[in-house]
Amino acid sequence: MQKAKNGLFFGLVALSLSLFSLSLLPYTLPTPAHATVEYARKENKPCVYCHVSAAPGVLDPTTGKVNTVACNERGFYYETHNHSFAGYVETPQINPRALTGPFRFGWAVKLPTAAQRVVVADVKGDQHPLLITLSPSGAHQSELALWSWNGKTFVKESALPIAANADMLQVGHFAGNDQPVLIVTGDGVRWWNGKQFAFLPAPNGFQLIGAVRLLDGTERLLGTMNGGDLQAYRVDLSKAGSAWLADPQSPPQSHEVQWAEMHGDPKLLEKIGMPTALSLGGLIGVWNLPTQHQLFLYLPKLNQDLDTVPDPDHPGQNKFVLKSQTWCVGLLNATNANDAYYTPPLAGKVYDVARESPIEPTTPGLLVLTELSTPNTSGLYFFPLTPPKP
Protein backbone atom coordinates (compact mmCIF):
# COMPACT_ATOMS: atom_id res chain seq x y z
CA MET A 1 0.00 0.00 0.00
CA GLN A 2 1.23 3.50 -0.82
CA LYS A 3 2.55 5.45 2.14
CA ALA A 4 0.40 8.35 3.30
CA LYS A 5 3.01 10.98 2.42
CA ASN A 6 0.73 13.64 0.93
CA GLY A 7 0.24 16.63 3.23
CA LEU A 8 -3.53 17.05 3.50
CA PHE A 9 -4.23 13.35 3.37
CA PHE A 10 -1.57 12.67 5.98
CA GLY A 11 -3.10 15.34 8.18
CA LEU A 12 -6.52 13.75 7.75
CA VAL A 13 -5.16 10.28 8.37
CA ALA A 14 -3.42 11.42 11.55
CA LEU A 15 -6.63 13.13 12.66
CA SER A 16 -8.84 10.17 11.82
CA LEU A 17 -6.53 7.66 13.45
CA SER A 18 -6.60 9.62 16.68
CA LEU A 19 -10.37 9.80 16.49
CA PHE A 20 -10.61 6.06 16.14
CA SER A 21 -7.97 5.40 18.83
CA LEU A 22 -5.62 3.46 16.60
CA SER A 23 -2.00 2.89 17.55
CA LEU A 24 0.10 2.62 14.39
CA LEU A 25 3.69 3.13 13.35
CA PRO A 26 4.40 6.46 11.59
CA TYR A 27 3.40 6.55 7.93
CA THR A 28 1.84 3.08 8.05
CA LEU A 29 -1.77 2.04 7.77
CA PRO A 30 -3.72 -1.09 8.70
CA THR A 31 -3.97 -3.75 6.04
CA PRO A 32 -7.63 -4.07 4.97
CA ALA A 33 -9.31 -7.22 6.24
CA HIS A 34 -10.55 -9.65 3.63
CA ALA A 35 -13.61 -11.81 3.93
CA THR A 36 -12.45 -15.37 4.57
CA VAL A 37 -14.26 -18.56 5.35
CA GLU A 38 -11.95 -19.01 8.35
CA TYR A 39 -13.05 -15.76 10.03
CA ALA A 40 -16.71 -16.44 9.29
CA ARG A 41 -16.45 -19.91 10.80
CA LYS A 42 -14.41 -18.69 13.75
CA GLU A 43 -17.00 -16.09 14.73
CA ASN A 44 -20.09 -18.02 13.53
CA LYS A 45 -21.24 -14.92 11.68
CA PRO A 46 -22.05 -14.25 8.03
CA CYS A 47 -19.85 -11.97 5.95
CA VAL A 48 -22.43 -9.16 6.09
CA TYR A 49 -21.86 -8.89 9.84
CA CYS A 50 -18.46 -7.29 9.16
CA HIS A 51 -18.68 -6.23 5.52
CA VAL A 52 -20.87 -3.91 3.50
CA SER A 53 -21.55 -6.68 1.02
CA ALA A 54 -23.07 -10.04 1.89
CA ALA A 55 -20.60 -11.66 -0.54
CA PRO A 56 -17.42 -9.57 -0.42
CA GLY A 57 -14.92 -10.25 -3.16
CA VAL A 58 -17.39 -12.38 -5.13
CA LEU A 59 -18.44 -11.57 -8.69
CA ASP A 60 -22.03 -10.35 -8.87
CA PRO A 61 -23.47 -11.83 -12.08
CA THR A 62 -26.23 -9.23 -12.22
CA THR A 63 -23.77 -6.32 -12.44
CA GLY A 64 -20.65 -8.03 -13.73
CA LYS A 65 -18.65 -6.40 -10.92
CA VAL A 66 -16.85 -7.85 -7.93
CA ASN A 67 -18.57 -7.00 -4.65
CA THR A 68 -16.67 -4.61 -2.40
CA VAL A 69 -14.63 -6.03 0.48
CA ALA A 70 -15.01 -2.81 2.48
CA CYS A 71 -15.76 -3.25 6.16
CA ASN A 72 -18.61 -1.77 8.15
CA GLU A 73 -18.16 -0.47 11.70
CA ARG A 74 -17.95 -3.97 13.20
CA GLY A 75 -15.48 -5.17 10.61
CA PHE A 76 -13.27 -2.14 11.13
CA TYR A 77 -13.15 -2.83 14.88
CA TYR A 78 -12.39 -6.51 14.23
CA GLU A 79 -9.68 -5.61 11.73
CA THR A 80 -7.91 -3.21 14.08
CA HIS A 81 -8.22 -5.26 17.30
CA ASN A 82 -6.27 -8.37 16.39
CA HIS A 83 -9.30 -9.96 14.69
CA SER A 84 -11.29 -10.04 17.89
CA PHE A 85 -14.61 -8.56 19.01
CA ALA A 86 -13.43 -8.40 22.63
CA GLY A 87 -14.50 -5.08 24.12
CA TYR A 88 -16.62 -4.07 21.16
CA VAL A 89 -19.74 -2.06 21.98
CA GLU A 90 -22.34 -1.64 19.25
CA THR A 91 -23.06 1.97 18.32
CA PRO A 92 -26.67 2.64 19.41
CA GLN A 93 -29.28 3.41 16.81
CA ILE A 94 -29.75 7.11 16.14
CA ASN A 95 -32.58 8.80 17.98
CA PRO A 96 -33.39 12.00 16.05
CA ARG A 97 -35.18 13.49 19.06
CA ALA A 98 -32.05 13.18 21.15
CA LEU A 99 -29.68 14.85 18.72
CA THR A 100 -27.46 17.57 20.11
CA GLY A 101 -24.67 19.49 18.53
CA PRO A 102 -23.93 22.39 16.21
CA PHE A 103 -26.60 21.51 13.60
CA ARG A 104 -30.36 21.10 13.43
CA PHE A 105 -32.70 19.80 10.75
CA GLY A 106 -33.73 22.52 8.29
CA TRP A 107 -35.53 21.10 5.27
CA ALA A 108 -35.60 18.27 2.73
CA VAL A 109 -36.75 18.29 -0.90
CA LYS A 110 -36.74 15.99 -3.91
CA LEU A 111 -34.79 16.89 -7.02
CA PRO A 112 -35.94 15.59 -10.42
CA THR A 113 -32.49 14.22 -11.30
CA ALA A 114 -30.41 11.28 -10.15
CA ALA A 115 -27.48 13.47 -9.11
CA GLN A 116 -24.21 12.22 -7.70
CA ARG A 117 -22.55 15.56 -6.96
CA VAL A 118 -23.89 18.85 -5.61
CA VAL A 119 -22.41 22.33 -5.11
CA VAL A 120 -23.77 25.79 -4.28
CA ALA A 121 -21.99 28.67 -6.03
CA ASP A 122 -22.44 32.03 -7.75
CA VAL A 123 -21.00 30.84 -11.06
CA LYS A 124 -22.29 33.80 -13.11
CA GLY A 125 -21.11 36.56 -10.78
CA ASP A 126 -24.59 38.08 -10.42
CA GLN A 127 -24.80 37.63 -6.64
CA HIS A 128 -27.29 34.76 -7.06
CA PRO A 129 -25.77 31.47 -5.96
CA LEU A 130 -27.22 28.47 -7.77
CA LEU A 131 -27.59 24.82 -6.92
CA ILE A 132 -25.31 22.85 -9.24
CA THR A 133 -25.74 19.11 -9.77
CA LEU A 134 -23.94 16.49 -11.82
CA SER A 135 -25.99 13.47 -12.93
CA PRO A 136 -25.14 10.47 -15.15
CA SER A 137 -26.71 10.62 -18.61
CA GLY A 138 -25.04 7.73 -20.46
CA ALA A 139 -21.84 5.76 -20.83
CA HIS A 140 -19.09 8.16 -19.65
CA GLN A 141 -21.55 11.02 -20.08
CA SER A 142 -23.22 13.28 -17.53
CA GLU A 143 -25.33 16.42 -17.22
CA LEU A 144 -24.30 19.51 -15.32
CA ALA A 145 -27.48 21.32 -14.26
CA LEU A 146 -27.93 24.80 -12.74
CA TRP A 147 -30.98 25.19 -10.49
CA SER A 148 -32.62 28.23 -8.90
CA TRP A 149 -35.14 28.32 -6.06
CA ASN A 150 -38.51 29.91 -6.96
CA GLY A 151 -39.84 29.87 -3.42
CA LYS A 152 -41.52 26.48 -3.74
CA THR A 153 -39.19 24.23 -5.69
CA PHE A 154 -35.91 24.09 -7.59
CA VAL A 155 -36.21 25.03 -11.27
CA LYS A 156 -33.59 23.97 -13.79
CA GLU A 157 -32.24 27.11 -15.43
CA SER A 158 -29.83 25.42 -17.82
CA ALA A 159 -27.86 22.26 -18.42
CA LEU A 160 -24.55 21.39 -20.04
CA PRO A 161 -23.43 18.01 -21.43
CA ILE A 162 -20.28 16.68 -19.78
CA ALA A 163 -18.09 14.15 -21.58
CA ALA A 164 -17.15 12.30 -18.39
CA ASN A 165 -18.68 10.29 -15.58
CA ALA A 166 -20.73 12.05 -12.90
CA ASP A 167 -18.16 11.45 -10.17
CA MET A 168 -15.97 14.55 -10.44
CA LEU A 169 -17.17 18.08 -9.66
CA GLN A 170 -15.48 20.97 -7.89
CA VAL A 171 -16.48 24.64 -8.09
CA GLY A 172 -14.49 27.56 -6.77
CA HIS A 173 -12.01 30.41 -7.23
CA PHE A 174 -9.18 28.12 -8.30
CA ALA A 175 -7.69 30.79 -10.59
CA GLY A 176 -7.78 33.45 -7.85
CA ASN A 177 -10.44 35.41 -5.99
CA ASP A 178 -10.39 38.13 -8.67
CA GLN A 179 -11.09 35.58 -11.41
CA PRO A 180 -14.36 33.87 -12.45
CA VAL A 181 -15.75 30.98 -10.45
CA LEU A 182 -14.59 27.80 -12.16
CA ILE A 183 -16.53 24.57 -12.66
CA VAL A 184 -14.16 21.61 -12.89
CA THR A 185 -15.42 18.21 -14.03
CA GLY A 186 -13.81 15.08 -15.40
CA ASP A 187 -13.60 16.50 -18.92
CA GLY A 188 -12.20 19.96 -18.15
CA VAL A 189 -12.82 23.41 -16.69
CA ARG A 190 -15.67 25.83 -17.48
CA TRP A 191 -16.41 29.43 -16.51
CA TRP A 192 -19.01 32.06 -17.37
CA ASN A 193 -17.58 34.73 -19.71
CA GLY A 194 -20.66 36.96 -19.58
CA LYS A 195 -22.44 35.30 -22.49
CA GLN A 196 -21.77 31.60 -22.24
CA PHE A 197 -19.58 29.03 -20.54
CA ALA A 198 -16.05 28.95 -21.90
CA PHE A 199 -14.22 25.62 -21.80
CA LEU A 200 -10.73 24.13 -21.64
CA PRO A 201 -10.24 20.33 -21.81
CA ALA A 202 -8.75 18.32 -18.97
CA PRO A 203 -5.15 17.15 -19.21
CA ASN A 204 -4.65 13.48 -19.99
CA GLY A 205 -4.08 11.47 -16.83
CA PHE A 206 -5.57 14.02 -14.43
CA GLN A 207 -7.68 12.54 -11.63
CA LEU A 208 -9.76 15.15 -9.77
CA ILE A 209 -10.14 14.15 -6.14
CA GLY A 210 -11.18 17.25 -4.24
CA ALA A 211 -10.59 20.86 -3.34
CA VAL A 212 -9.26 22.91 -0.44
CA ARG A 213 -9.63 26.46 0.85
CA LEU A 214 -6.72 27.74 2.94
CA LEU A 215 -7.09 30.03 5.92
CA ASP A 216 -6.17 33.02 3.72
CA GLY A 217 -9.10 32.25 1.38
CA THR A 218 -6.99 30.74 -1.42
CA GLU A 219 -8.67 27.80 -3.12
CA ARG A 220 -6.94 24.94 -4.93
CA LEU A 221 -7.86 21.73 -6.66
CA LEU A 222 -6.68 18.41 -5.24
CA GLY A 223 -5.78 15.71 -7.71
CA THR A 224 -3.24 13.31 -9.11
CA MET A 225 -1.51 13.18 -12.46
CA ASN A 226 -0.98 9.77 -14.05
CA GLY A 227 -1.46 8.02 -10.72
CA GLY A 228 1.26 10.04 -8.97
CA ASP A 229 1.22 11.79 -5.61
CA LEU A 230 -1.68 13.97 -4.55
CA GLN A 231 -1.03 17.63 -5.40
CA ALA A 232 -2.77 20.96 -4.79
CA TYR A 233 -3.14 22.93 -8.05
CA ARG A 234 -4.24 26.40 -8.99
CA VAL A 235 -5.72 27.11 -12.42
CA ASP A 236 -4.15 29.43 -15.00
CA LEU A 237 -6.78 30.44 -17.57
CA SER A 238 -4.17 32.12 -19.77
CA LYS A 239 -2.77 28.75 -20.77
CA ALA A 240 -3.97 27.22 -24.02
CA GLY A 241 -5.49 23.79 -24.43
CA SER A 242 -5.15 21.43 -21.47
CA ALA A 243 -2.17 23.16 -19.81
CA TRP A 244 -4.29 25.07 -17.28
CA LEU A 245 -3.20 23.16 -14.18
CA ALA A 246 -0.47 25.26 -12.59
CA ASP A 247 1.85 25.56 -9.61
CA PRO A 248 1.52 22.03 -8.12
CA GLN A 249 2.26 21.93 -4.42
CA SER A 250 2.11 19.36 -1.69
CA PRO A 251 -1.35 19.52 -0.07
CA PRO A 252 -1.52 21.53 3.16
CA GLN A 253 -1.95 20.00 6.57
CA SER A 254 -5.52 19.80 7.83
CA HIS A 255 -4.96 22.50 10.48
CA GLU A 256 -4.02 24.98 7.73
CA VAL A 257 -7.40 24.93 5.97
CA GLN A 258 -10.86 26.41 6.31
CA TRP A 259 -12.24 23.33 4.62
CA ALA A 260 -11.17 20.51 2.38
CA GLU A 261 -12.97 17.58 0.82
CA MET A 262 -11.99 14.44 -1.07
CA HIS A 263 -14.14 12.19 -3.24
CA GLY A 264 -13.25 8.84 -4.68
CA ASP A 265 -13.90 5.16 -4.88
CA PRO A 266 -13.23 3.65 -1.43
CA LYS A 267 -10.35 1.62 -2.90
CA LEU A 268 -8.76 4.81 -4.22
CA LEU A 269 -9.09 6.57 -0.87
CA GLU A 270 -7.66 3.53 0.91
CA LYS A 271 -4.72 3.49 -1.50
CA ILE A 272 -3.96 7.12 -0.73
CA GLY A 273 -4.19 6.51 3.00
CA MET A 274 -7.72 6.52 4.39
CA PRO A 275 -8.70 3.80 6.88
CA THR A 276 -11.56 1.60 5.73
CA ALA A 277 -14.08 3.07 8.17
CA LEU A 278 -13.48 6.53 6.72
CA SER A 279 -13.19 5.64 3.04
CA LEU A 280 -16.37 3.54 3.06
CA GLY A 281 -18.66 6.40 2.01
CA GLY A 282 -16.36 7.62 -0.76
CA LEU A 283 -16.30 11.11 0.79
CA ILE A 284 -14.35 12.69 3.60
CA GLY A 285 -13.93 16.33 4.54
CA VAL A 286 -12.61 18.68 7.19
CA TRP A 287 -14.28 21.96 8.08
CA ASN A 288 -13.34 24.73 10.47
CA LEU A 289 -16.91 25.65 11.45
CA PRO A 290 -17.36 29.43 11.25
CA THR A 291 -19.37 29.70 14.47
CA GLN A 292 -17.42 27.10 16.44
CA HIS A 293 -13.82 27.99 15.55
CA GLN A 294 -12.91 24.33 15.73
CA LEU A 295 -11.86 21.79 13.15
CA PHE A 296 -14.33 18.99 12.45
CA LEU A 297 -14.24 15.88 10.28
CA TYR A 298 -17.38 14.99 8.31
CA LEU A 299 -18.19 11.83 6.38
CA PRO A 300 -21.05 9.52 5.41
CA LYS A 301 -21.77 6.67 7.82
CA LEU A 302 -23.57 3.40 7.11
CA ASN A 303 -25.82 2.01 9.85
CA GLN A 304 -26.87 -1.62 9.56
CA ASP A 305 -29.69 -3.25 11.53
CA LEU A 306 -29.17 -7.00 11.91
CA ASP A 307 -31.46 -9.67 13.27
CA THR A 308 -30.72 -13.14 14.63
CA VAL A 309 -32.57 -16.13 13.18
CA PRO A 310 -32.06 -19.91 13.41
CA ASP A 311 -29.51 -21.23 10.93
CA PRO A 312 -31.11 -24.11 8.99
CA ASP A 313 -27.69 -25.31 7.80
CA HIS A 314 -26.32 -25.56 11.34
CA PRO A 315 -28.96 -26.83 13.81
CA GLY A 316 -28.71 -25.25 17.23
CA GLN A 317 -26.88 -22.19 15.89
CA ASN A 318 -28.10 -18.77 14.88
CA LYS A 319 -27.14 -16.59 11.95
CA PHE A 320 -27.34 -12.87 11.35
CA VAL A 321 -29.49 -11.44 8.60
CA LEU A 322 -29.55 -7.84 7.41
CA LYS A 323 -32.91 -6.25 8.22
CA SER A 324 -32.18 -2.78 6.95
CA GLN A 325 -29.42 -0.26 6.44
CA THR A 326 -29.45 3.51 6.43
CA TRP A 327 -26.93 6.24 5.76
CA CYS A 328 -26.31 9.40 7.75
CA VAL A 329 -23.62 12.07 7.92
CA GLY A 330 -21.41 12.21 10.96
CA LEU A 331 -19.47 15.18 12.30
CA LEU A 332 -16.49 14.38 14.52
CA ASN A 333 -14.86 16.94 16.80
CA ALA A 334 -11.13 17.05 16.14
CA THR A 335 -10.41 18.79 19.45
CA ASN A 336 -11.70 16.20 21.89
CA ALA A 337 -12.26 13.24 19.52
CA ASN A 338 -15.97 13.09 20.40
CA ASP A 339 -18.87 12.58 18.04
CA ALA A 340 -20.27 16.08 17.65
CA TYR A 341 -23.34 15.34 15.54
CA TYR A 342 -25.06 12.69 13.48
CA THR A 343 -27.89 13.47 11.13
CA PRO A 344 -31.02 11.34 11.40
CA PRO A 345 -31.12 8.35 9.03
CA LEU A 346 -31.41 9.57 5.45
CA ALA A 347 -33.25 8.07 2.49
CA GLY A 348 -30.65 6.25 0.43
CA LYS A 349 -26.90 6.36 0.06
CA VAL A 350 -25.13 9.66 0.72
CA TYR A 351 -23.47 10.86 -2.49
CA ASP A 352 -22.22 14.31 -1.57
CA VAL A 353 -22.09 16.99 1.13
CA ALA A 354 -21.80 20.74 0.57
CA ARG A 355 -21.46 23.43 3.24
CA GLU A 356 -24.15 25.99 2.48
CA SER A 357 -27.82 26.30 1.58
CA PRO A 358 -29.04 27.03 -1.97
CA ILE A 359 -32.20 28.53 -0.48
CA GLU A 360 -30.49 30.78 2.08
CA PRO A 361 -27.04 31.18 0.47
CA THR A 362 -25.54 33.02 3.41
CA THR A 363 -26.48 30.24 5.84
CA PRO A 364 -23.73 27.67 6.41
CA GLY A 365 -24.70 24.09 7.11
CA LEU A 366 -24.57 20.52 5.88
CA LEU A 367 -26.26 20.17 2.49
CA VAL A 368 -26.58 16.42 1.93
CA LEU A 369 -27.34 14.77 -1.40
CA THR A 370 -28.72 11.21 -1.33
CA GLU A 371 -30.06 8.69 -3.77
CA LEU A 372 -33.79 7.84 -3.72
CA SER A 373 -35.61 4.68 -4.76
CA THR A 374 -37.72 6.61 -7.29
CA PRO A 375 -35.93 6.71 -10.67
CA ASN A 376 -34.39 10.01 -11.77
CA THR A 377 -34.77 11.66 -8.38
CA SER A 378 -32.44 12.65 -5.55
CA GLY A 379 -32.92 13.66 -1.95
CA LEU A 380 -31.58 16.99 -0.75
CA TYR A 381 -31.36 17.69 3.00
CA PHE A 382 -30.13 20.78 4.77
CA PHE A 383 -28.95 20.97 8.38
CA PRO A 384 -28.14 24.61 9.20
CA LEU A 385 -25.32 25.48 11.54
CA THR A 386 -26.63 26.94 14.79
CA PRO A 387 -24.93 29.68 16.80
CA PRO A 388 -22.84 28.48 19.75
CA LYS A 389 -24.48 28.51 23.16
CA PRO A 390 -23.54 31.51 25.32
Side-chain angles (χ1 to χ4, degrees):
M1 180 180 289
Q2 176 179 328
K3 291 182 180 180
K5 57 187 177 181
N6 297 306
L8 179 60
F9 265 100
F10 180 69
L12 282 173
V13 171
L15 170 63
S16 61
L17 294 184
S18 67
L19 291 172
F20 282 85
S21 302
L22 299 179
S23 177
L24 302 172
L25 294 176
Y27 297 95
T28 63
L29 295 166
T31 301
H34 296 281
T36 64
V37 175
E38 288 75 16
Y39 288 140
R41 289 174 177 171
K42 172 188 173 184
E43 305 299 340
N44 188 28
K45 291 176 171 59
C47 294
V48 74
Y49 187 77
C50 288
H51 290 266
V52 177
S53 170
V58 176
L59 180 68
D60 185 345
T62 61
T63 64
K65 298 181 179 179
V66 176
N67 291 323
T68 178
V69 298
C71 297
N72 57 27
E73 184 184 70
R74 298 182 195 88
F76 181 68
Y77 183 93
Y78 191 76
E79 167 189 5
T80 56
H81 289 77
N82 198 28
H83 296 103
S84 171
F85 288 114
Y88 176 65
V89 178
E90 188 84 20
T91 299
Q93 292 296 309
I94 297 173
N95 178 4
R97 296 182 180 179
L99 289 175
T100 60
F103 295 92
R104 59 179 174 81
F105 176 78
W107 47 262
V109 298
K110 289 183 180 181
L111 283 177
T113 182
Q116 294 184 5
R117 292 290 180 267
V118 65
V119 179
V120 178
D122 176 15
V123 292
K124 294 186 177 181
D126 57 4
Q127 308 303 312
H128 293 289
L130 299 173
L131 179 72
I132 305 170
T133 60
L134 190 63
S135 307
S137 60
H140 305 296
Q141 301 289 323
S142 54
E143 179 189 79
L144 183 79
L146 308 180
W147 308 77
S148 61
W149 178 253
N150 68 2
K152 296 182 179 180
T153 187
F154 285 102
V155 178
K156 186 187 294 187
E157 286 195 355
S158 60
L160 297 171
I162 304 297
N165 293 331
D167 57 355
M168 300 183 194
L169 174 65
Q170 293 295 332
V171 180
H173 286 282
F174 307 121
N177 291 331
D178 59 343
Q179 296 295 312
V181 174
L182 305 182
I183 302 174
V184 186
T185 56
D187 67 345
V189 57
R190 292 169 173 82
W191 68 96
W192 184 253
N193 63 13
K195 296 181 179 180
Q196 61 185 2
F197 283 100
F199 173 74
L200 288 175
N204 291 330
F206 178 60
Q207 174 81 29
L208 177 63
I209 293 178
V212 57
R213 177 184 290 170
L214 302 176
L215 292 177
D216 64 3
T218 302
E219 296 182 356
R220 284 180 174 255
L221 294 170
L222 297 172
T224 63
M225 189 67 73
N226 298 315
D229 288 346
L230 185 73
Q231 296 286 319
Y233 297 89
R234 68 178 181 84
V235 174
D236 186 348
L237 296 179
S238 68
K239 299 294 184 180
S242 61
W244 45 270
L245 284 175
D247 190 24
Q249 297 181 0
S250 297
Q253 296 285 329
S254 55
H255 67 272
E256 299 175 309
V257 307
Q258 292 184 28
W259 57 259
E261 66 176 32
M262 282 69 63
H263 284 275
D265 180 272
K267 292 182 180 179
L268 172 65
L269 296 182
E270 286 180 9
K271 180 180 179 181
I272 294 176
M274 285 294 112
T276 301
L278 300 184
S279 63
L280 179 61
L283 164 65
I284 183 170
V286 292
W287 189 13
N288 196 330
L289 296 186
T291 62
Q292 305 289 318
H293 305 294
Q294 294 181 21
L295 192 67
F296 289 82
L297 181 77
Y298 64 83
L299 70 163
K301 186 177 185 299
L302 177 65
N303 302 290
Q304 293 181 319
D305 186 11
L306 300 180
D307 201 0
T308 304
V309 299
D311 188 346
D313 297 328
H314 299 87
Q317 297 185 17
N318 291 329
K319 68 176 183 178
F320 290 90
V321 295
L322 180 64
K323 291 175 58 179
S324 64
Q325 63 181 28
T326 59
W327 288 85
C328 67
V329 173
L331 193 80
L332 308 181
N333 191 318
T335 302
N336 55 26
N338 290 333
D339 293 346
Y341 182 77
Y342 282 96
T343 69
L346 306 172
K349 178 182 178 179
V350 173
Y351 274 123
D352 205 354
V353 177
R355 293 165 299 276
E356 59 185 310
S357 168
I359 298 177
E360 313 95 356
T362 60
T363 302
L366 295 172
L367 180 67
V368 184
L369 175 73
T370 73
E371 68 176 352
L372 294 179
S373 58
T374 306
N376 299 317
T377 60
S378 300
L380 199 62
Y381 299 79
F382 185 62
F383 300 87
L385 181 63
T386 57
K389 295 181 179 180

